[in-house]
Amino acid sequence: MNQNFDIIIVGGGAAGFFTAINIVEKNKKLKVAILERGKEVLSKVRVSGGGRCNVTHACFEPNELVKYYPRGEKELRGPFHQFCSGDTIEWFEKHGVELKIEDDGRMFPVSNSSQTIIDCFLKATQQLGITVLTGQSVQSIFKKENCWQIETQNEKYLAEKLIMATGSNPKIWEMLQQQGHAIVNPVPSLFTFNIKDSRIKELPGVATQASVKVKDTKLSSTGPLLITHWGMSGPAILKLSAWGARILHDKNYQFTIFVNWLNDLDTEEAEQLLKDLRQDQAKKTVSKKSPFELTNRLWESLVLASSISPETKWADLSKIQIQNLANQLTKGTFQVNGKSTFKEEFVTAGGIDLKEINFKTMESKLHENLYFAGEIVNIDAITGGFNFQNAWTSGFIVANGI
């Protein structure tokens, strides 16, 4: 026996719930169902942002906001003019959730708990009479006359309109491929670098501003860099991983990076500064105290890596030692061997080819009444609430389009 709905949304995550709520708020007569393959809904929301849910980012200009999306920058400009970060704040406030801005621009619920967002969605779906069905793993989708038929392992559903909000799901991508959609092959985005190197081995937890470049590519990034037990992380590294997702995948995550611990100073400038210090700090021990904005532990490690013994005074530095130290500070070479997932936030570059989507409605250009919301399409962003903002914006656009 088929179960009939006006609209079926496949995917019980952030994009699916947000879309469903917006649709029914605009038209309460519509019969809407969310199909979730797991036993629980919104499980990715629960773990996001370290359990706090980084809802969006305090960037309120659409033309600025798009710059945080390695894939989707051009396509999102129009949608962000319809629903941007400011609209997200307003939407959540209207639904009883107050957000706060942190120093780095990330925005979280004031409660500091992702459960607040989950409760908000569940309460709204209940009040609006949206049907939420768990344990519904979709096996096939196809067009049947004027409606879509969706088969799960135990049910058949019919709906006039179908919205796909399953995120990075290879099985669903395969089904959409059978419907004629092109899929851009998925590769990981937002990952940290595995580096085994004596210079950083004893420094996990040390954070500093740095500039990082990937050898033999145009990839470069500046920002906070965090040394970890397995290598390097922090915004400077994550930005590189997002913009270089395909390039680094093609290199099988085996590549060389250059780290400039002094940010915008070049090697010549660093060398001159070190020569000045040799005169000004003549009687002081080089390794004792960092003359730059580096932690003393990191400075000491770079000094030792420059073949300068721990007792050496500034006055005793040779020309070669100064050159070595300038090189370590401005173009330290590190070998990357593999990657690690950033926290629990597994983000993928890839999905439905953007050329096949009408970004005024998020409707498929190939099939009428087939829509997409969230990360199922080939759009992804750096960390900081931007991936969620794409979910809210695309969900809003779908609701408007319908």
Side-chain angles (χ1 to χ4, degrees), residues 1-5 8 33 35 131 133-134 136 138 142 147-152 154-159:
M1 183 76 180
N2 293 335
Q3 287 199 50
N4 287 29
F5 291 91
I8 281 180
L35 303 185
T131 306
L133 300 161
T134 54
Q136 299 295 319
V138 172
F142 56 90
C147 66
W148 287 94
Q149 181 169 302
I150 301 98
E151 288 187 8
T152 68
N154 44 22
E155 287 286 348
K156 276 186 187 173
Y157 300 93
L158 291 176

mmCIF file with all atom_site columns, all heavy atoms in Angstrom, residues 1-5 8 33 35 131 133-134 136 138 142 147-152 154-159:
data_model
loop_
_atom_site.group_PDB
_atom_site.id
_atom_site.type_symbol
_atom_site.label_atom_id
_atom_site.label_alt_id
_atom_site.label_comp_id
_atom_site.label_asym_id
_atom_site.label_entity_id
_atom_site.label_seq_id
_atom_site.pdbx_PDB_ins_code
_atom_site.Cartn_x
_atom_site.Cartn_y
_atom_site.Cartn_z
_atom_site.occupancy
_atom_site.B_iso_or_equiv
_atom_site.pdbx_formal_charge
_atom_site.auth_seq_id
_atom_site.auth_comp_id
_atom_site.auth_asym_id
_atom_site.auth_atom_id
_atom_site.pdbx_PDB_model_num
ATOM 1   N N   . MET A 1 1   ? 0.851  -1.207 0.000   1.00 0.00 ? 1   MET A N   1
ATOM 2   C CA  . MET A 1 1   ? 0.000  0.000  0.000   1.00 0.00 ? 1   MET A CA  1
ATOM 3   C C   . MET A 1 1   ? 0.887  1.257  0.000   1.00 0.00 ? 1   MET A C   1
ATOM 4   O O   . MET A 1 1   ? 1.780  1.388  0.836   1.00 0.00 ? 1   MET A O   1
ATOM 5   C CB  . MET A 1 1   ? -0.879 -0.019 1.263   1.00 0.00 ? 1   MET A CB  1
ATOM 6   C CG  . MET A 1 1   ? -1.852 1.128  1.372   1.00 0.00 ? 1   MET A CG  1
ATOM 7   S SD  . MET A 1 1   ? -3.261 0.911  0.294   1.00 0.00 ? 1   MET A SD  1
ATOM 8   C CE  . MET A 1 1   ? -4.168 2.384  0.669   1.00 0.00 ? 1   MET A CE  1
ATOM 9   N N   . ASN A 1 2   ? 0.669  2.148  -0.937  1.00 0.00 ? 2   ASN A N   1
ATOM 10  C CA  . ASN A 1 2   ? 1.461  3.375  -0.999  1.00 0.00 ? 2   ASN A CA  1
ATOM 11  C C   . ASN A 1 2   ? 0.999  4.386  0.036   1.00 0.00 ? 2   ASN A C   1
ATOM 12  O O   . ASN A 1 2   ? -0.196 4.516  0.295   1.00 0.00 ? 2   ASN A O   1
ATOM 13  C CB  . ASN A 1 2   ? 1.325  4.023  -2.388  1.00 0.00 ? 2   ASN A CB  1
ATOM 14  C CG  . ASN A 1 2   ? 1.960  3.181  -3.470  1.00 0.00 ? 2   ASN A CG  1
ATOM 15  O OD1 . ASN A 1 2   ? 2.857  2.393  -3.197  1.00 0.00 ? 2   ASN A OD1 1
ATOM 16  N ND2 . ASN A 1 2   ? 1.482  3.311  -4.696  1.00 0.00 ? 2   ASN A ND2 1
ATOM 17  N N   . GLN A 1 3   ? 1.972  5.086  0.602   1.00 0.00 ? 3   GLN A N   1
ATOM 18  C CA  . GLN A 1 3   ? 1.637  6.218  1.480   1.00 0.00 ? 3   GLN A CA  1
ATOM 19  C C   . GLN A 1 3   ? 1.801  7.488  0.651   1.00 0.00 ? 3   GLN A C   1
ATOM 20  O O   . GLN A 1 3   ? 2.854  7.696  0.042   1.00 0.00 ? 3   GLN A O   1
ATOM 21  C CB  . GLN A 1 3   ? 2.572  6.253  2.695   1.00 0.00 ? 3   GLN A CB  1
ATOM 22  C CG  . GLN A 1 3   ? 2.282  5.162  3.707   1.00 0.00 ? 3   GLN A CG  1
ATOM 23  C CD  . GLN A 1 3   ? 2.892  5.512  5.045   1.00 0.00 ? 3   GLN A CD  1
ATOM 24  O OE1 . GLN A 1 3   ? 2.700  6.624  5.555   1.00 0.00 ? 3   GLN A OE1 1
ATOM 25  N NE2 . GLN A 1 3   ? 3.626  4.585  5.633   1.00 0.00 ? 3   GLN A NE2 1
ATOM 26  N N   . ASN A 1 4   ? 0.775  8.333  0.632   1.00 0.00 ? 4   ASN A N   1
ATOM 27  C CA  . ASN A 1 4   ? 0.798  9.532  -0.215  1.00 0.00 ? 4   ASN A CA  1
ATOM 28  C C   . ASN A 1 4   ? 1.060  10.803 0.584   1.00 0.00 ? 4   ASN A C   1
ATOM 29  O O   . ASN A 1 4   ? 0.477  11.009 1.645   1.00 0.00 ? 4   ASN A O   1
ATOM 30  C CB  . ASN A 1 4   ? -0.548 9.681  -0.943  1.00 0.00 ? 4   ASN A CB  1
ATOM 31  C CG  . ASN A 1 4   ? -0.697 8.655  -2.046  1.00 0.00 ? 4   ASN A CG  1
ATOM 32  O OD1 . ASN A 1 4   ? -0.131 7.569  -1.959  1.00 0.00 ? 4   ASN A OD1 1
ATOM 33  N ND2 . ASN A 1 4   ? -1.449 8.984  -3.081  1.00 0.00 ? 4   ASN A ND2 1
ATOM 34  N N   . PHE A 1 5   ? 1.936  11.642 0.023   1.00 0.00 ? 5   PHE A N   1
ATOM 35  C CA  . PHE A 1 5   ? 2.227  12.962 0.604   1.00 0.00 ? 5   PHE A CA  1
ATOM 36  C C   . PHE A 1 5   ? 2.317  13.975 -0.530  1.00 0.00 ? 5   PHE A C   1
ATOM 37  O O   . PHE A 1 5   ? 2.538  13.599 -1.689  1.00 0.00 ? 5   PHE A O   1
ATOM 38  C CB  . PHE A 1 5   ? 3.558  12.929 1.375   1.00 0.00 ? 5   PHE A CB  1
ATOM 39  C CG  . PHE A 1 5   ? 3.529  12.104 2.629   1.00 0.00 ? 5   PHE A CG  1
ATOM 40  C CD1 . PHE A 1 5   ? 3.874  10.757 2.605   1.00 0.00 ? 5   PHE A CD1 1
ATOM 41  C CD2 . PHE A 1 5   ? 3.143  12.665 3.832   1.00 0.00 ? 5   PHE A CD2 1
ATOM 42  C CE1 . PHE A 1 5   ? 3.847  9.984  3.751   1.00 0.00 ? 5   PHE A CE1 1
ATOM 43  C CE2 . PHE A 1 5   ? 3.103  11.903 4.989   1.00 0.00 ? 5   PHE A CE2 1
ATOM 44  C CZ  . PHE A 1 5   ? 3.447  10.560 4.950   1.00 0.00 ? 5   PHE A CZ  1
ATOM 45  N N   . ILE A 1 8   ? 7.842  14.915 -0.176  1.00 0.00 ? 8   ILE A N   1
ATOM 46  C CA  . ILE A 1 8   ? 8.697  14.038 0.638   1.00 0.00 ? 8   ILE A CA  1
ATOM 47  C C   . ILE A 1 8   ? 10.110 14.599 0.614   1.00 0.00 ? 8   ILE A C   1
ATOM 48  O O   . ILE A 1 8   ? 10.638 14.973 -0.439  1.00 0.00 ? 8   ILE A O   1
ATOM 49  C CB  . ILE A 1 8   ? 8.664  12.584 0.135   1.00 0.00 ? 8   ILE A CB  1
ATOM 50  C CG1 . ILE A 1 8   ? 7.374  11.915 0.650   1.00 0.00 ? 8   ILE A CG1 1
ATOM 51  C CG2 . ILE A 1 8   ? 9.891  11.799 0.595   1.00 0.00 ? 8   ILE A CG2 1
ATOM 52  C CD1 . ILE A 1 8   ? 7.200  10.481 0.249   1.00 0.00 ? 8   ILE A CD1 1
ATOM 53  N N   . ALA A 1 33  ? 6.440  14.885 4.550   1.00 0.00 ? 33  ALA A N   1
ATOM 54  C CA  . ALA A 1 33  ? 7.098  13.831 5.343   1.00 0.00 ? 33  ALA A CA  1
ATOM 55  C C   . ALA A 1 33  ? 8.614  13.917 5.165   1.00 0.00 ? 33  ALA A C   1
ATOM 56  O O   . ALA A 1 33  ? 9.109  14.235 4.084   1.00 0.00 ? 33  ALA A O   1
ATOM 57  C CB  . ALA A 1 33  ? 6.612  12.463 4.922   1.00 0.00 ? 33  ALA A CB  1
ATOM 58  N N   . LEU A 1 35  ? 11.934 11.492 5.461   1.00 0.00 ? 35  LEU A N   1
ATOM 59  C CA  . LEU A 1 35  ? 12.384 10.102 5.571   1.00 0.00 ? 35  LEU A CA  1
ATOM 60  C C   . LEU A 1 35  ? 13.850 10.088 6.008   1.00 0.00 ? 35  LEU A C   1
ATOM 61  O O   . LEU A 1 35  ? 14.710 10.684 5.359   1.00 0.00 ? 35  LEU A O   1
ATOM 62  C CB  . LEU A 1 35  ? 12.274 9.374  4.223   1.00 0.00 ? 35  LEU A CB  1
ATOM 63  C CG  . LEU A 1 35  ? 10.911 9.317  3.524   1.00 0.00 ? 35  LEU A CG  1
ATOM 64  C CD1 . LEU A 1 35  ? 11.005 8.455  2.270   1.00 0.00 ? 35  LEU A CD1 1
ATOM 65  C CD2 . LEU A 1 35  ? 9.834  8.772  4.448   1.00 0.00 ? 35  LEU A CD2 1
ATOM 66  N N   . THR A 1 131 ? 5.329  14.903 9.205   1.00 0.00 ? 131 THR A N   1
ATOM 67  C CA  . THR A 1 131 ? 5.566  13.498 9.540   1.00 0.00 ? 131 THR A CA  1
ATOM 68  C C   . THR A 1 131 ? 7.053  13.186 9.470   1.00 0.00 ? 131 THR A C   1
ATOM 69  O O   . THR A 1 131 ? 7.702  13.462 8.449   1.00 0.00 ? 131 THR A O   1
ATOM 70  C CB  . THR A 1 131 ? 4.801  12.573 8.562   1.00 0.00 ? 131 THR A CB  1
ATOM 71  O OG1 . THR A 1 131 ? 3.423  12.961 8.567   1.00 0.00 ? 131 THR A OG1 1
ATOM 72  C CG2 . THR A 1 131 ? 4.923  11.114 8.953   1.00 0.00 ? 131 THR A CG2 1
ATOM 73  N N   . LEU A 1 133 ? 9.662  10.091 9.688   1.00 0.00 ? 133 LEU A N   1
ATOM 74  C CA  . LEU A 1 133 ? 9.727  8.628  9.660   1.00 0.00 ? 133 LEU A CA  1
ATOM 75  C C   . LEU A 1 133 ? 11.177 8.162  9.688   1.00 0.00 ? 133 LEU A C   1
ATOM 76  O O   . LEU A 1 133 ? 11.955 8.470  8.775   1.00 0.00 ? 133 LEU A O   1
ATOM 77  C CB  . LEU A 1 133 ? 9.035  8.108  8.394   1.00 0.00 ? 133 LEU A CB  1
ATOM 78  C CG  . LEU A 1 133 ? 7.541  8.486  8.267   1.00 0.00 ? 133 LEU A CG  1
ATOM 79  C CD1 . LEU A 1 133 ? 7.074  8.363  6.835   1.00 0.00 ? 133 LEU A CD1 1
ATOM 80  C CD2 . LEU A 1 133 ? 6.694  7.624  9.183   1.00 0.00 ? 133 LEU A CD2 1
ATOM 81  N N   . THR A 1 134 ? 11.570 7.459  10.742  1.00 0.00 ? 134 THR A N   1
ATOM 82  C CA  . THR A 1 134 ? 12.952 6.966  10.866  1.00 0.00 ? 134 THR A CA  1
ATOM 83  C C   . THR A 1 134 ? 13.038 5.517  10.390  1.00 0.00 ? 134 THR A C   1
ATOM 84  O O   . THR A 1 134 ? 12.016 4.860  10.166  1.00 0.00 ? 134 THR A O   1
ATOM 85  C CB  . THR A 1 134 ? 13.428 7.068  12.325  1.00 0.00 ? 134 THR A CB  1
ATOM 86  O OG1 . THR A 1 134 ? 12.486 6.393  13.160  1.00 0.00 ? 134 THR A OG1 1
ATOM 87  C CG2 . THR A 1 134 ? 13.557 8.509  12.777  1.00 0.00 ? 134 THR A CG2 1
ATOM 88  N N   . GLN A 1 136 ? 14.045 4.502  7.538   1.00 0.00 ? 136 GLN A N   1
ATOM 89  C CA  . GLN A 1 136 ? 13.550 4.438  6.154   1.00 0.00 ? 136 GLN A CA  1
ATOM 90  C C   . GLN A 1 136 ? 14.712 4.618  5.186   1.00 0.00 ? 136 GLN A C   1
ATOM 91  O O   . GLN A 1 136 ? 14.995 5.717  4.721   1.00 0.00 ? 136 GLN A O   1
ATOM 92  C CB  . GLN A 1 136 ? 12.475 5.506  5.918   1.00 0.00 ? 136 GLN A CB  1
ATOM 93  C CG  . GLN A 1 136 ? 11.243 5.377  6.785   1.00 0.00 ? 136 GLN A CG  1
ATOM 94  C CD  . GLN A 1 136 ? 10.461 4.100  6.486   1.00 0.00 ? 136 GLN A CD  1
ATOM 95  O OE1 . GLN A 1 136 ? 10.301 3.715  5.333   1.00 0.00 ? 136 GLN A OE1 1
ATOM 96  N NE2 . GLN A 1 136 ? 9.980  3.441  7.527   1.00 0.00 ? 136 GLN A NE2 1
ATOM 97  N N   . VAL A 1 138 ? 16.203 4.566  1.802   1.00 0.00 ? 138 VAL A N   1
ATOM 98  C CA  . VAL A 1 138 ? 15.661 4.628  0.434   1.00 0.00 ? 138 VAL A CA  1
ATOM 99  C C   . VAL A 1 138 ? 16.419 3.661  -0.482  1.00 0.00 ? 138 VAL A C   1
ATOM 100 O O   . VAL A 1 138 ? 17.648 3.671  -0.527  1.00 0.00 ? 138 VAL A O   1
ATOM 101 C CB  . VAL A 1 138 ? 15.722 6.079  -0.109  1.00 0.00 ? 138 VAL A CB  1
ATOM 102 C CG1 . VAL A 1 138 ? 15.344 6.135  -1.580  1.00 0.00 ? 138 VAL A CG1 1
ATOM 103 C CG2 . VAL A 1 138 ? 14.800 6.984  0.712   1.00 0.00 ? 138 VAL A CG2 1
ATOM 104 N N   . PHE A 1 142 ? 11.890 6.880  -8.524  1.00 0.00 ? 142 PHE A N   1
ATOM 105 C CA  . PHE A 1 142 ? 11.630 7.065  -9.948  1.00 0.00 ? 142 PHE A CA  1
ATOM 106 C C   . PHE A 1 142 ? 10.341 7.848  -10.160 1.00 0.00 ? 142 PHE A C   1
ATOM 107 O O   . PHE A 1 142 ? 9.474  7.925  -9.292  1.00 0.00 ? 142 PHE A O   1
ATOM 108 C CB  . PHE A 1 142 ? 11.625 5.739  -10.724 1.00 0.00 ? 142 PHE A CB  1
ATOM 109 C CG  . PHE A 1 142 ? 10.673 4.698  -10.210 1.00 0.00 ? 142 PHE A CG  1
ATOM 110 C CD1 . PHE A 1 142 ? 9.375  4.615  -10.683 1.00 0.00 ? 142 PHE A CD1 1
ATOM 111 C CD2 . PHE A 1 142 ? 11.096 3.782  -9.249  1.00 0.00 ? 142 PHE A CD2 1
ATOM 112 C CE1 . PHE A 1 142 ? 8.511  3.633  -10.215 1.00 0.00 ? 142 PHE A CE1 1
ATOM 113 C CE2 . PHE A 1 142 ? 10.236 2.796  -8.771  1.00 0.00 ? 142 PHE A CE2 1
ATOM 114 C CZ  . PHE A 1 142 ? 8.942  2.721  -9.256  1.00 0.00 ? 142 PHE A CZ  1
ATOM 115 N N   . CYS A 1 147 ? 4.026  12.000 -10.490 1.00 0.00 ? 147 CYS A N   1
ATOM 116 C CA  . CYS A 1 147 ? 4.555  12.044 -9.119  1.00 0.00 ? 147 CYS A CA  1
ATOM 117 C C   . CYS A 1 147 ? 5.818  11.188 -9.002  1.00 0.00 ? 147 CYS A C   1
ATOM 118 O O   . CYS A 1 147 ? 6.184  10.453 -9.914  1.00 0.00 ? 147 CYS A O   1
ATOM 119 C CB  . CYS A 1 147 ? 3.490  11.606 -8.123  1.00 0.00 ? 147 CYS A CB  1
ATOM 120 S SG  . CYS A 1 147 ? 3.038  9.895  -8.307  1.00 0.00 ? 147 CYS A SG  1
ATOM 121 N N   . TRP A 1 148 ? 6.447  11.319 -7.858  1.00 0.00 ? 148 TRP A N   1
ATOM 122 C CA  . TRP A 1 148 ? 7.660  10.562 -7.558  1.00 0.00 ? 148 TRP A CA  1
ATOM 123 C C   . TRP A 1 148 ? 7.301  9.366  -6.690  1.00 0.00 ? 148 TRP A C   1
ATOM 124 O O   . TRP A 1 148 ? 6.523  9.491  -5.746  1.00 0.00 ? 148 TRP A O   1
ATOM 125 C CB  . TRP A 1 148 ? 8.671  11.444 -6.831  1.00 0.00 ? 148 TRP A CB  1
ATOM 126 C CG  . TRP A 1 148 ? 9.315  12.446 -7.732  1.00 0.00 ? 148 TRP A CG  1
ATOM 127 C CD1 . TRP A 1 148 ? 8.932  13.734 -7.944  1.00 0.00 ? 148 TRP A CD1 1
ATOM 128 C CD2 . TRP A 1 148 ? 10.469 12.233 -8.549  1.00 0.00 ? 148 TRP A CD2 1
ATOM 129 N NE1 . TRP A 1 148 ? 9.748  14.347 -8.850  1.00 0.00 ? 148 TRP A NE1 1
ATOM 130 C CE2 . TRP A 1 148 ? 10.712 13.449 -9.237  1.00 0.00 ? 148 TRP A CE2 1
ATOM 131 C CE3 . TRP A 1 148 ? 11.316 11.150 -8.778  1.00 0.00 ? 148 TRP A CE3 1
ATOM 132 C CZ2 . TRP A 1 148 ? 11.768 13.607 -10.128 1.00 0.00 ? 148 TRP A CZ2 1
ATOM 133 C CZ3 . TRP A 1 148 ? 12.377 11.307 -9.665  1.00 0.00 ? 148 TRP A CZ3 1
ATOM 134 C CH2 . TRP A 1 148 ? 12.587 12.517 -10.335 1.00 0.00 ? 148 TRP A CH2 1
ATOM 135 N N   . GLN A 1 149 ? 7.891  8.219  -7.016  1.00 0.00 ? 149 GLN A N   1
ATOM 136 C CA  . GLN A 1 149 ? 7.724  7.050  -6.140  1.00 0.00 ? 149 GLN A CA  1
ATOM 137 C C   . GLN A 1 149 ? 9.047  6.788  -5.442  1.00 0.00 ? 149 GLN A C   1
ATOM 138 O O   . GLN A 1 149 ? 10.092 6.717  -6.073  1.00 0.00 ? 149 GLN A O   1
ATOM 139 C CB  . GLN A 1 149 ? 7.299  5.811  -6.932  1.00 0.00 ? 149 GLN A CB  1
ATOM 140 C CG  . GLN A 1 149 ? 7.097  4.593  -6.021  1.00 0.00 ? 149 GLN A CG  1
ATOM 141 C CD  . GLN A 1 149 ? 6.422  3.439  -6.748  1.00 0.00 ? 149 GLN A CD  1
ATOM 142 O OE1 . GLN A 1 149 ? 5.325  3.583  -7.279  1.00 0.00 ? 149 GLN A OE1 1
ATOM 143 N NE2 . GLN A 1 149 ? 7.073  2.291  -6.777  1.00 0.00 ? 149 GLN A NE2 1
ATOM 144 N N   . ILE A 1 150 ? 8.966  6.677  -4.125  1.00 0.00 ? 150 ILE A N   1
ATOM 145 C CA  . ILE A 1 150 ? 10.164 6.432  -3.315  1.00 0.00 ? 150 ILE A CA  1
ATOM 146 C C   . ILE A 1 150 ? 9.953  5.105  -2.591  1.00 0.00 ? 150 ILE A C   1
ATOM 147 O O   . ILE A 1 150 ? 8.977  4.939  -1.854  1.00 0.00 ? 150 ILE A O   1
ATOM 148 C CB  . ILE A 1 150 ? 10.387 7.561  -2.277  1.00 0.00 ? 150 ILE A CB  1
ATOM 149 C CG1 . ILE A 1 150 ? 10.529 8.918  -2.991  1.00 0.00 ? 150 ILE A CG1 1
ATOM 150 C CG2 . ILE A 1 150 ? 11.611 7.308  -1.411  1.00 0.00 ? 150 ILE A CG2 1
ATOM 151 C CD1 . ILE A 1 150 ? 9.277  9.732  -3.023  1.00 0.00 ? 150 ILE A CD1 1
ATOM 152 N N   . GLU A 1 151 ? 10.864 4.177  -2.805  1.00 0.00 ? 151 GLU A N   1
ATOM 153 C CA  . GLU A 1 151 ? 10.763 2.882  -2.128  1.00 0.00 ? 151 GLU A CA  1
ATOM 154 C C   . GLU A 1 151 ? 11.844 2.772  -1.069  1.00 0.00 ? 151 GLU A C   1
ATOM 155 O O   . GLU A 1 151 ? 13.020 3.001  -1.343  1.00 0.00 ? 151 GLU A O   1
ATOM 156 C CB  . GLU A 1 151 ? 10.921 1.741  -3.139  1.00 0.00 ? 151 GLU A CB  1
ATOM 157 C CG  . GLU A 1 151 ? 9.722  1.577  -4.045  1.00 0.00 ? 151 GLU A CG  1
ATOM 158 C CD  . GLU A 1 151 ? 9.810  0.330  -4.924  1.00 0.00 ? 151 GLU A CD  1
ATOM 159 O OE1 . GLU A 1 151 ? 10.739 -0.480 -4.713  1.00 0.00 ? 151 GLU A OE1 1
ATOM 160 O OE2 . GLU A 1 151 ? 8.956  0.183  -5.818  1.00 0.00 ? 151 GLU A OE2 1
ATOM 161 N N   . THR A 1 152 ? 11.433 2.442  0.155   1.00 0.00 ? 152 THR A N   1
ATOM 162 C CA  . THR A 1 152 ? 12.402 2.148  1.211   1.00 0.00 ? 152 THR A CA  1
ATOM 163 C C   . THR A 1 152 ? 12.398 0.633  1.387   1.00 0.00 ? 152 THR A C   1
ATOM 164 O O   . THR A 1 152 ? 11.698 -0.075 0.657   1.00 0.00 ? 152 THR A O   1
ATOM 165 C CB  . THR A 1 152 ? 12.033 2.852  2.531   1.00 0.00 ? 152 THR A CB  1
ATOM 166 O OG1 . THR A 1 152 ? 10.834 2.266  3.047   1.00 0.00 ? 152 THR A OG1 1
ATOM 167 C CG2 . THR A 1 152 ? 11.826 4.345  2.320   1.00 0.00 ? 152 THR A CG2 1
ATOM 168 N N   . ASN A 1 154 ? 10.981 -1.089 3.489   1.00 0.00 ? 154 ASN A N   1
ATOM 169 C CA  . ASN A 1 154 ? 9.710  -1.656 3.972   1.00 0.00 ? 154 ASN A CA  1
ATOM 170 C C   . ASN A 1 154 ? 8.456  -0.887 3.556   1.00 0.00 ? 154 ASN A C   1
ATOM 171 O O   . ASN A 1 154 ? 7.355  -1.255 3.941   1.00 0.00 ? 154 ASN A O   1
ATOM 172 C CB  . ASN A 1 154 ? 9.728  -1.785 5.515   1.00 0.00 ? 154 ASN A CB  1
ATOM 173 C CG  . ASN A 1 154 ? 10.310 -0.546 6.173   1.00 0.00 ? 154 ASN A CG  1
ATOM 174 O OD1 . ASN A 1 154 ? 10.325 0.524  5.570   1.00 0.00 ? 154 ASN A OD1 1
ATOM 175 N ND2 . ASN A 1 154 ? 10.798 -0.681 7.398   1.00 0.00 ? 154 ASN A ND2 1
ATOM 176 N N   . GLU A 1 155 ? 8.603  0.193  2.779   1.00 0.00 ? 155 GLU A N   1
ATOM 177 C CA  . GLU A 1 155 ? 7.423  0.993  2.415   1.00 0.00 ? 155 GLU A CA  1
ATOM 178 C C   . GLU A 1 155 ? 7.566  1.543  0.993   1.00 0.00 ? 155 GLU A C   1
ATOM 179 O O   . GLU A 1 155 ? 8.675  1.647  0.464   1.00 0.00 ? 155 GLU A O   1
ATOM 180 C CB  . GLU A 1 155 ? 7.265  2.177  3.371   1.00 0.00 ? 155 GLU A CB  1
ATOM 181 C CG  . GLU A 1 155 ? 6.786  1.835  4.772   1.00 0.00 ? 155 GLU A CG  1
ATOM 182 C CD  . GLU A 1 155 ? 5.304  1.473  4.848   1.00 0.00 ? 155 GLU A CD  1
ATOM 183 O OE1 . GLU A 1 155 ? 4.587  1.696  3.852   1.00 0.00 ? 155 GLU A OE1 1
ATOM 184 O OE2 . GLU A 1 155 ? 4.884  0.948  5.894   1.00 0.00 ? 155 GLU A OE2 1
ATOM 185 N N   . LYS A 1 156 ? 6.401  1.949  0.437   1.00 0.00 ? 156 LYS A N   1
ATOM 186 C CA  . LYS A 1 156 ? 6.395  2.702  -0.825  1.00 0.00 ? 156 LYS A CA  1
ATOM 187 C C   . LYS A 1 156 ? 5.698  4.026  -0.558  1.00 0.00 ? 156 LYS A C   1
ATOM 188 O O   . LYS A 1 156 ? 4.643  4.057  0.078   1.00 0.00 ? 156 LYS A O   1
ATOM 189 C CB  . LYS A 1 156 ? 5.628  1.941  -1.908  1.00 0.00 ? 156 LYS A CB  1
ATOM 190 C CG  . LYS A 1 156 ? 6.451  0.902  -2.631  1.00 0.00 ? 156 LYS A CG  1
ATOM 191 C CD  . LYS A 1 156 ? 5.663  0.305  -3.771  1.00 0.00 ? 156 LYS A CD  1
ATOM 192 C CE  . LYS A 1 156 ? 6.429  -0.869 -4.378  1.00 0.00 ? 156 LYS A CE  1
ATOM 193 N NZ  . LYS A 1 156 ? 5.615  -1.569 -5.381  1.00 0.00 ? 156 LYS A NZ  1
ATOM 194 N N   . TYR A 1 157 ? 6.294  5.106  -1.032  1.00 0.00 ? 157 TYR A N   1
ATOM 195 C CA  . TYR A 1 157 ? 5.724  6.435  -0.837  1.00 0.00 ? 157 TYR A CA  1
ATOM 196 C C   . TYR A 1 157 ? 5.530  7.110  -2.187  1.00 0.00 ? 157 TYR A C   1
ATOM 197 O O   . TYR A 1 157 ? 6.343  6.939  -3.100  1.00 0.00 ? 157 TYR A O   1
ATOM 198 C CB  . TYR A 1 157 ? 6.657  7.302  0.023   1.00 0.00 ? 157 TYR A CB  1
ATOM 199 C CG  . TYR A 1 157 ? 6.923  6.746  1.398   1.00 0.00 ? 157 TYR A CG  1
ATOM 200 C CD1 . TYR A 1 157 ? 8.037  5.935  1.636   1.00 0.00 ? 157 TYR A CD1 1
ATOM 201 C CD2 . TYR A 1 157 ? 6.070  7.029  2.466   1.00 0.00 ? 157 TYR A CD2 1
ATOM 202 C CE1 . TYR A 1 157 ? 8.294  5.417  2.891   1.00 0.00 ? 157 TYR A CE1 1
ATOM 203 C CE2 . TYR A 1 157 ? 6.314  6.516  3.734   1.00 0.00 ? 157 TYR A CE2 1
ATOM 204 C CZ  . TYR A 1 157 ? 7.420  5.706  3.932   1.00 0.00 ? 157 TYR A CZ  1
ATOM 205 O OH  . TYR A 1 157 ? 7.658  5.191  5.197   1.00 0.00 ? 157 TYR A OH  1
ATOM 206 N N   . LEU A 1 158 ? 4.465  7.891  -2.277  1.00 0.00 ? 158 LEU A N   1
ATOM 207 C CA  . LEU A 1 158 ? 4.233  8.699  -3.475  1.00 0.00 ? 158 LEU A CA  1
ATOM 208 C C   . LEU A 1 158 ? 4.172  10.168 -3.059  1.00 0.00 ? 158 LEU A C   1
ATOM 209 O O   . LEU A 1 158 ? 3.598  10.498 -2.013  1.00 0.00 ? 158 LEU A O   1
ATOM 210 C CB  . LEU A 1 158 ? 2.922  8.307  -4.146  1.00 0.00 ? 158 LEU A CB  1
ATOM 211 C CG  . LEU A 1 158 ? 2.861  6.925  -4.818  1.00 0.00 ? 158 LEU A CG  1
ATOM 212 C CD1 . LEU A 1 158 ? 1.464  6.667  -5.356  1.00 0.00 ? 158 LEU A CD1 1
ATOM 213 C CD2 . LEU A 1 158 ? 3.884  6.810  -5.943  1.00 0.00 ? 158 LEU A CD2 1
ATOM 214 N N   . ALA A 1 159 ? 4.773  11.030 -3.866  1.00 0.00 ? 159 ALA A N   1
ATOM 215 C CA  . ALA A 1 159 ? 4.721  12.464 -3.577  1.00 0.00 ? 159 ALA A CA  1
ATOM 216 C C   . ALA A 1 159 ? 4.801  13.245 -4.880  1.00 0.00 ? 159 ALA A C   1
ATOM 217 O O   . ALA A 1 159 ? 5.469  12.827 -5.834  1.00 0.00 ? 159 ALA A O   1
ATOM 218 C CB  . ALA A 1 159 ? 5.875  12.859 -2.666  1.00 0.00 ? 159 ALA A CB  1
#
